[in-house]
Amino acid sequence: MGEFFAMGGYAFFIWMAYGMTALLIVAEIVTVRARYQRALHLARHSEAHEAAAGAQLKEAE
Amino acid sequence: MSGFKYAAPAQFYPLAGKMALWFAVLAAVLTVIGLVIGLYIAPIDVTQKDSYRIIFIHVPAAWMSMFLYVVMAFWSAMALGMNTRLSAMMAQSIAPTGALMTAIALWTGALWGKPTWGTYWAWDARMTSELILLFLYLGIIALRNAIDDPRRADKACGVLALVGVVNVPIIYMSVRWWNTLHQGASIKLGKTSIDDIMLAGMLVMVFAFWFYSMAATLVRLRAIMLEREAGAAWVARLEEVKEVRKEQ
């Protein structure tokens, strides 16, 4: 196991490359999901929607 | 079934959600397979020893950085030429993931350069043009943030994206046109210069990065659709928007 992580003496370069890549991708996943949740929240509480939903109810009646 | 059906946000929104989920699952599975091949199964390189293993993320990220730019420029051209709002949103959704892939390509390239060439950075044609690609992505993102009206931002960013696309063939051809520190392509049709298992691992990682980029872009696209069309009737009709309203 130690040999695996040592990467034949190139551990610093390999793990800095893979580590930063993982960090950046995880950061993007977190921010993209947060942006989607925020957009969904805004859509749910948009005043225009309240009006649209009201109009739909009237249509249904 | 007509493809045009999906040109409207109302139709594409649910499809994008399904695609994003499947692409994310595929990306995760391929990443695990690719990492096992790249870091464990693939033998060490005769000249570069273990340092070459950076190839399994460097090349996929570099390819995606250029591919995503071309796709972004394509949707920008569609948005400018046809004035379709979904095309503009697609272009908008790609820029951050493109910037991320470019940053990964530059970062991993530097960490590969040090052990193989003795330097993290050189102002050679390949590296400089890839750095310009990063600035183009960041410039497009900054330009959008600087313009309040989304439709005007679409036009400005679209023009910048189209002007910048000239940089992509320069990046691609730089190792042939100039005598660069960066090596030439290892992957060529018919005469690839790397081992089969190394090639397999790299291609698996290319697909992993491709599926990941599509998933991230599609989720961002769904967020952008909701942000920009918050008042539209199709958003109000979405189940995930209606549900909460009933509860209240």
Side-chain angles (χ1 to χ4, degrees), chain A residues 4 7-8 10 12-14 16-18 20-21 24-25 28 32 35-36 39 43-45 49-50 56, chain B residues 13 35 39 50 53 56 97 100 107 111 212 219-220 222-224 227 230 232 235 237 240 244-245 248:
Chain A
F4 172 76
M7 279 290 156
Y10 292 100
F12 173 79
F13 303 103
I14 298 285
M16 281 289 276
Y18 278 83
M20 180 61 94
T21 301
L24 287 172
I25 286 178
E28 187 186 32
V32 162
R35 181 173 180 176
Y36 177 71
R44 283 166 178 164
H45 300 280
H49 278 181
E50 305 290 344
Q56 266 192 321
Chain B
Y13 180 88
L35 288 180
L39 293 176
D50 276 312
R53 294 187 195 276
F56 298 107
T97 301
L100 177 90
W107 177 264
L111 284 160
Y212 168 77
V219 174
R220 188 179 294 109
R222 273 160 64 89
I224 290 168
E227 288 163 9
V235 175
R237 281 196 292 269
E240 55 265 49
V244 176
R245 195 152 291 148
Q248 283 166 346

